[in-house]
Amino acid sequence: MGKKRGNQTYYYLVESARVDGKPRIVDQQYLGSAEEVMARLSGAPQGSPTRTQHKQFGDLAAVWAILGRLKVIEAIDEVCGPRRADAGASVGTYLALATLNRVVEPRSKLGFADWWDTTAGPRFTKVPVAATDHRRFWDAMNALDTDKLALAERAISTAMVTEFGLDLSALALDMTNFATFIDSTNDRADLAQRGHAKQKRNDLRLVGLSLVVTRDGAIPIVSHTYAGNRPDVTQFSTVLGELTTRYRTLFDNHEDPGAGVGVGEQSSPTVVFDAGQNSAGNFAHLAESGLHFVGSLPPSDFPDLLALPATKRRPVDPEKFPGLSAYGTRAIVFGTDRRVVLTHSATLHAKQSRGLDQTMAKTLRGLTELADTLARGKTRRDRTAVLAEITKITRPRWVNRVLSTTLTGQTPAEMRLSWTIDKTARKALGTELFGKRLLVTDHDDWTIAEVVAGYRSQNDVESGFRQLKDPHLVGFSPMFHWTDPKIRVHVFYCVLALAVAHLMRREAQHAGLNLSVRELLANLSGIKETVLLYPTGNKGRPRAQRILTDIDPTQQRLFDLFGLATYAPRR
């Protein structure tokens, strides 16, 4: 296409497409004047570039490719309705961009435009920097309420299963909370409440999050946001209800579920959870839902099983689970006879023993300092206050089983502190508790090795939470939102970012590249786009030529795996 300016015609390479049913130019590259075009075609030298720009490309393009395969933009736009006439992009596009940013370089919406300008994203997504003003993101987030979020998440999780063939036969469930910096006087965020902070930030308001992830790749397919002051156990039935609905939708939408959606021949999946979700009501809800389960029980609640001699246990699978032995039996759990498996891990036993030694060393340092203070006769505390301090020092788990203290004297000048360590009790503690777990399941037909393998998939959820708490990649923080609707949307695209990252890792693993999320993104981020800017005199903006940087063999495999050629600059 030619554009005439004065007496000179300048030519452009133009790509057109229909946008909202109307023909629009979606890409335009400057070619130059007729003489410049002829010079290029004839191979005449173009001169040297005067400047270069280096754009982030590989990691963005790979994430964008996964979002495209999941049809994220279409799923969100389907529930939000047509794009507003004054919007720079659709709601789905803005949330896809937010997800993209969370995967590769989490930052606030206020800083998004500046970051976007340093990437190749505006070129291959067709979303210009001017359209990424932070207020545009806020408008998009306002368009999604709780019901729309649920519909969008269901559509996207269905796409994950069908597009990537995920296996739903085993799922792991866990819950955590995230610290926020929402002001204490803010009354517009009921989700943010003070509670038991798992990040040890008891001074901050918390937002709770539960996830259900696949054992196949640790992909989150169900999430639930709840107030940070609610105990995890109270959210269990809500998550199971959504999981049951989600699973039935997947099952009903496919005539051959075993072939397309990875659900196998089972009528329902197996849910794995830890002891923090245990209650009579939750076990009853599991039975009503028809879901299979593998859970854990507090060993201390079953002293008769803990007292069983080690000769009762047998090695589980020396190759797959070295150092693990187990004994299968039955026990009454919340009023019902259930299959339970007592396991003992030599590795866990050693870790717990070292942990107790470290705790005891810290306790003894505290007692020694207090004893020295009392011996100098300088304390002003009365006996009650000193006893309270001793209780605080000896509070850590198991300490009181092996250590006893004696405080003599009544007045501050007379009080003296001594203690003894019971080595027999220390040995008995190791024999009774260390290294032991108690698993419970309704799978009476599974081998002990299968029960153990099922329970250990709980690590997949925990690894996902650790990833979300990484501030640099796939991070929940920073979160600069202070109303419940925006918090829910923020959680939505953070969980989606986690799913995308793990899908990418899973794809790479299937291709023979065993990389962590961090290693995968580091390799992809090394694929840069270089823009060479050539002078055009006084004839407008510099002419640009885009090329990719050199890549190593691993990057080349990732380039091909994620189809980055589709998004690479044209040569």
Side-chain angles (χ1 to χ4, degrees):
M1 181 179 75
K3 295 183 181 180
K4 194 164 184 178
R5 295 181 180 175
N7 295 324
Q8 183 70 45
T9 301
Y10 298 94
Y11 293 91
Y12 297 80
L13 179 63
V14 173
E15 179 184 351
S16 299
R18 287 192 172 273
V19 179
D20 295 332
K22 299 179 181 180
R24 293 284 186 270
I25 294 175
V26 295
D27 190 26
Q28 178 176 282
Q29 296 186 39
Y30 176 73
L31 299 178
S33 65
E35 292 79 8
E36 290 172 326
V37 173
M38 290 302 297
R40 290 187 186 185
L41 293 175
S42 64
Q46 303 177 20
S48 300
T50 57
R51 291 179 290 133
T52 64
Q53 296 175 350
H54 298 282
K55 303 285 189 178
Q56 194 172 348
F57 170 74
D59 45 1
L60 269 81
V63 173
W64 195 252
I66 298 295
L67 291 171
R69 290 178 63 180
L70 294 177
K71 295 183 172 19
V72 168
I73 295 176
E74 294 85 344
I76 297 173
D77 288 345
E78 177 70 22
V79 300
C80 288
R83 166 183 167 183
R84 282 173 37 181
D86 62 339
S90 69
V91 173
T93 301
Y94 279 116
L95 294 191
L97 292 175
T99 304
L100 171 68
N101 175 252
R102 284 285 139 181
V103 177
V104 300
E105 196 171 335
R107 61 180 56 220
S108 70
K109 304 300 178 295
L110 190 62
F112 187 96
D114 289 339
W115 169 76
W116 192 235
D117 194 34
T118 67
T119 74
R123 176 183 58 77
F124 64 77
T125 64
K126 314 304 179 188
V127 181
V129 174
T132 59
D133 180 84
H134 61 283
R135 289 163 293 191
R136 299 292 191 180
F137 282 98
W138 292 343
D139 290 340
M141 296 173 76
N142 286 335
L144 282 167
D145 57 23
T146 303
D147 292 338
K148 290 178 179 178
L149 278 175
L151 290 172
E153 185 181 278
R154 290 175 188 175
I156 294 169
S157 62
T158 299
M160 290 179 194
V161 176
T162 54
E163 176 67 20
F164 291 90
L166 300 180
D167 180 7
L168 296 185
S169 61
L171 303 170
L173 182 153
D174 203 357
M175 303 183 189
T176 192
N177 52 49
F178 295 89
T180 74
F181 293 90
I182 296 174
D183 190 89
S184 298
T185 61
N186 184 341
D187 59 359
R188 300 178 63 190
D190 292 335
L191 285 173
Q193 300 289 340
R194 283 187 171 80
H196 175 64
K198 299 183 180 181
Q199 291 174 286
K200 309 302 181 184
R201 291 301 305 266
N202 296 313
D203 57 320
L204 299 176
R205 295 169 69 176
L206 311 171
V207 173
L209 173 65
S210 61
L211 288 182
V212 177
V213 308
T214 65
R215 187 176 171 188
D216 174 18
I219 315 300
I221 60 168
V222 174
S223 68
H224 170 61
T225 308
Y226 58 96
N229 61 350
R230 294 182 184 176
D232 294 347
V233 68
T234 63
Q235 306 303 304
F236 189 79
S237 60
T238 301
V239 179
L240 283 189
E242 177 60 26
L243 173 61
T244 305
T245 301
R246 189 80 50 90
Y247 184 83
R248 286 173 180 165
T249 299
L250 290 169
F251 191 90
D252 293 342
N253 286 347
H254 298 84
E255 296 180 359
D256 185 7
V261 301
V263 296
E265 298 179 354
Q266 287 188 198
S267 59
S268 61
T270 297
V271 179
V272 179
F273 55 92
D274 62 22
Q277 319 303 329
N278 290 352
S279 72
N282 287 345
F283 272 89
H285 191 85
L286 272 169
E288 294 171 0
S289 69
L291 298 169
H292 296 292
F293 66 88
V294 176
S296 68
L297 303 168
S300 57
D301 290 353
F302 297 85
D304 54 330
L305 295 179
L306 291 179
L308 292 173
T311 54
K312 285 277 190 180
R313 303 191 300 265
R314 294 289 181 269
V316 176
D317 185 333
E319 292 186 3
K320 191 173 182 181
F321 305 112
L324 185 72
S325 59
Y327 172 69
T329 183
R330 302 193 71 83
I332 302 299
V333 180
F334 293 110
T336 303
D337 180 68
R338 302 186 188 277
R339 183 190 182 192
V340 297
V341 177
L342 176 69
T343 68
H344 177 270
S345 166
T347 302
L348 178 61
H349 187 125
K351 287 182 178 179
Q352 289 179 322
S353 182
R354 287 195 300 271
L356 179 57
D357 289 341
Q358 293 168 354
T359 300
M360 287 295 297
K362 182 178 179 180
T363 300
L364 292 177
R365 286 196 299 270
L367 291 175
T368 300
E369 290 176 4
L370 179 59
D372 291 345
T373 300
L374 294 175
R376 290 193 297 269
K378 298 296 185 180
T379 184
R380 295 182 179 180
R381 288 174 287 190
D382 58 20
R383 183 179 176 85
T384 301
V386 173
L387 286 172
E389 180 67 14
I390 295 171
T391 300
K392 180 180 178 181
I393 294 173
T394 60
R395 184 180 299 163
R397 189 182 186 191
W398 298 325
V399 167
N400 284 318
R401 287 279 300 269
V402 299
L403 182 145
S404 58
T405 61
T406 302
L407 181 65
T408 60
Q410 298 297 322
T411 67
E414 297 173 344
M415 284 186 291
R416 297 293 183 267
L417 174 63
S418 61
W419 58 86
T420 58
I421 297 177
D422 188 338
K423 294 182 178 180
T424 302
R426 171 69 169 79
K427 183 178 179 181
L429 178 64
T431 302
E432 176 190 342
L433 286 175
F434 287 177
K436 294 182 179 179
R437 292 191 188 278
L438 196 59
L439 310 183
V440 58
T441 182
D442 67 338
H443 279 295
D444 292 335
D445 57 328
W446 278 16
T447 65
I448 288 179
E450 288 174 325
V451 175
V452 171
Y455 181 75
R456 290 195 175 185
S457 65
Q458 183 76 11
N459 294 334
D460 296 335
V461 195
E462 294 171 355
S463 68
F465 286 143
R466 287 193 296 271
Q467 185 68 69
L468 282 174
K469 291 177 181 179
D470 183 334
H472 305 295
L473 296 172
V474 198
F476 181 91
S477 297
M479 184 186 75
F480 298 96
H481 306 294
W482 53 87
T483 63
D484 283 350
K486 284 189 174 66
I487 290 173
R488 291 187 186 279
V489 177
H490 177 84
V491 172
F492 166 79
Y493 58 66
C494 285
V495 173
L496 177 55
L498 178 64
V500 169
H502 281 196
L503 285 169
M504 291 169 63
R505 179 178 56 80
R506 180 178 180 270
E507 289 287 277
Q509 187 176 42
H510 287 181
L513 294 170
N514 293 315
L515 303 171
S516 67
V517 170
R518 182 174 293 278
E519 292 169 336
L520 173 66
L521 291 173
N523 274 281
L524 286 168
S525 67
I527 306 175
K528 304 289 187 182
E529 178 179 302
T530 297
V531 184
L532 304 177
L533 300 173
Y534 291 87
T536 57
N538 297 321
K539 299 179 179 179
R541 291 180 299 176
R543 186 171 65 252
Q545 180 184 1
R546 292 175 171 85
I547 57 175
L548 296 183
T549 56
D550 283 340
I551 57 179
D552 61 33
T554 299
Q555 290 171 329
Q556 183 62 58
R557 292 180 66 184
L558 294 173
F559 186 95
D560 297 334
L561 176 65
F562 293 111
L564 301 193
T566 303
Y567 307 100
R570 294 172 182 166
R571 299 299 300 273

